[in-house]
Amino acid sequence: MGLAWKVTVTVILFALAAAAAVVLIVSLLGTPPTVDFTSQSPGAPINVSLQTVGSFGTGSHPTWVSYLVESPQGQWVHTTVFQVPQHTRVNVTIYQYDSGSPLRNQQLGQVTGTAANAATINGKAFRVIDSNSGNGIAHTFSIPALGINVPLYGNNANANLCGAAPCTSSSPHKVIRFSFTTPGPGNYRWQCFVPCGLGFLFGNGGPMSTLGYMGGFMKVVA
Ligand SMILES: [Cu+2]
């Protein structure tokens, strides 16, 4: 092989390695997509639907628990970032497909910060769930800066639960609804407070500390 060829091959291999490094870095830094609810009619209440699944089923972390957000067009998106207008009522519906367990902090069994400090499960109003009885709590939907916390009751762990997102209503699930009014503009962190990252230190690693799984941002815009 002549010198020119050696140089050419070396340059090509180096370029390929550099490109691979860039792709890797971008994917590691990449944030999940934002589902935008701001194009709906101004002033009207926004309907936001989420689902929780015990194992996402595909992708780089198929065993991780996850939230998903339904776009206004009805597509389930693997993200925990959504955008809503300021000072607007948000009606949240969460389709909860996971099993539950007793809470370590019983305070998280209480509904706070929502309209009338209440929520409904399968149409029935509730303000607190005793996680030490029944199926326990699967996840919470919490926005600490707004004082919002809603415990999501678990499904029977022995049932044939959905193991791959997006789950559909044919799998066992609970429907939890509540409302709140958005504050002024800002990025509001929201997350689950059940340490549901199974297999990670104290359950708080993995999906609990990765955007797009058990925590994200509500972007409130003017
Ligand atoms: Cu969780």
Side-chain angles (χ1 to χ4, degrees):
M1 199 187 277
L3 182 62
W5 272 109
K6 282 181 183 168
V7 169
T8 306
V9 168
T10 304
V11 166
I12 289 173
L13 286 177
F14 183 80
L16 284 174
V22 167
V23 167
L24 178 68
I25 289 168
V26 167
S27 71
L28 287 175
L29 292 178
T31 49
T34 300
V35 175
D36 187 12
F37 292 94
T38 57
S39 57
Q40 298 177 24
S41 34
I46 305 289
N47 297 320
V48 174
S49 292
L50 312 172
Q51 71 167 260
T52 49
V53 56
S55 54
F56 188 74
T58 54
S60 42
H61 305 293
T63 61
W64 286 13
V65 291
S66 193
Y67 266 98
L68 286 86
V69 181
E70 188 178 26
S71 73
Q73 294 75 34
Q75 296 295 312
W76 285 107
V77 183
H78 189 201
T79 187
T80 50
V81 183
F82 60 94
Q83 180 163 284
V84 291
Q86 65 176 345
H87 308 309
T88 301
R89 185 182 173 97
V90 178
N91 300 319
V92 181
T93 302
I94 300 179
Y95 300 93
Q96 201 299 98
Y97 289 96
D98 202 1
S99 57
S101 58
L103 289 168
R104 294 180 202 174
N105 178 353
Q106 298 306 314
Q107 214 162 343
L108 295 171
Q110 192 176 353
V111 179
T112 60
T114 63
N117 285 322
T120 64
I121 176 165
N122 296 346
K124 193 166 168 279
F126 73 99
R127 288 193 169 191
V128 65
I129 295 175
D130 177 2
S131 69
N132 290 314
S133 65
N135 299 337
I137 303 298
H139 306 281
T140 71
F141 176 89
S142 312
I143 311 179
L146 305 181
I148 292 173
N149 178 69
V150 180
L152 308 177
Y153 189 59
N155 294 291
N156 186 336
N158 297 320
N160 188 20
L161 297 180
C162 172
C167 304
T168 64
S169 57
S170 59
S171 291
H173 64 285
K174 305 284 182 283
V175 181
I176 294 99
R177 292 183 203 272
F178 55 91
S179 300
F180 64 92
T181 301
T182 55
N187 283 342
Y188 297 85
R189 166 83 184 167
W190 72 270
Q191 68 169 90
C192 163
F193 271 111
V194 173
C196 59
L198 282 183
F200 293 90
L201 191 62
F202 299 116
N204 275 315
M208 282 294 287
S209 51
T210 306
L211 274 182
Y213 288 86
M214 276 288 129
F217 286 94
M218 177 175 74
K219 299 179 181 174
V220 179
V221 293

